[in-house]
Amino acid sequence: QVQLVESGGGSVQAGGSLRLSCAGSGFTSSRYCMGWFRQPPEKEREAVATIDSFGTTNYADSVKGRFTISRDSTKSTLYLQMNNLKPEDTAVYYCAALPQWFGCAALSPSDFAYWGQGTQVTVSS
């Protein structure tokens, strides 16, 4: 049974940093596409960053240069380092996984099979 549990969310001021973690269990994470998604208030869920089994990453234009996705496959853990946060980054952040080796960047949220419960990130101006 695949489980994903996010942590690390919180409230910060603009310009601050947070590091999100997603602890996975019940699967071999190195064989999965994994990604971070977010859902701002009253908006649809959107992709933030993805990483495939080979370490290839992809980012939304709005976070390029500020966010970094990484994974520790030995621990089945996914990370999202978020720097220079902006108020528009405020959202519930979710991690997700799909048993697919590559091609993660082309996937939409609906393609991902497994989801965590989400963690709130609030950035004040």
Side-chain angles (χ1 to χ4, degrees):
Q1 181 180 355
V2 175
Q3 288 190 324
L4 301 170
V5 180
E6 301 98 336
S7 61
S11 298
V12 295
Q13 290 190 327
S17 298
L18 284 173
R19 188 191 195 204
L20 304 183
S21 299
C22 173
S25 61
F27 67 109
T28 304
S29 65
S30 61
R31 301 176 183 176
Y32 279 56
C33 281
M34 297 193 74
W36 287 99
F37 298 81
R38 66 186 181 187
Q39 188 161 12
E42 300 181 1
K43 294 185 178 180
E44 293 187 353
R45 193 169 298 187
E46 60 186 19
V48 175
T50 60
I51 185 167
D52 70 12
S53 299
F54 303 100
T56 302
T57 58
N58 189 71
Y59 296 91
D61 289 342
S62 59
V63 306
K64 282 182 181 177
R66 301 188 297 123
F67 291 11
T68 303
I69 188 172
S70 61
R71 68 196 298 170
D72 183 341
S73 295
T74 63
K75 299 179 181 179
S76 295
T77 302
L78 183 71
Y79 302 100
L80 185 68
Q81 178 66 44
M82 305 185 294
N83 298 326
N84 190 22
L85 282 160
K86 303 176 180 181
E88 51 264 43
D89 295 318
T90 295
V92 178
Y93 283 71
Y94 300 88
C95 71
L98 176 71
Q100 179 170 314
W101 287 78
F102 57 92
C104 306
L107 300 173
S108 64
S110 61
D111 293 320
F112 281 78
Y114 305 103
W115 291 86
Q117 82 288 350
T119 185
Q120 177 70 45
V121 171
T122 303
V123 185
S124 58
S125 58

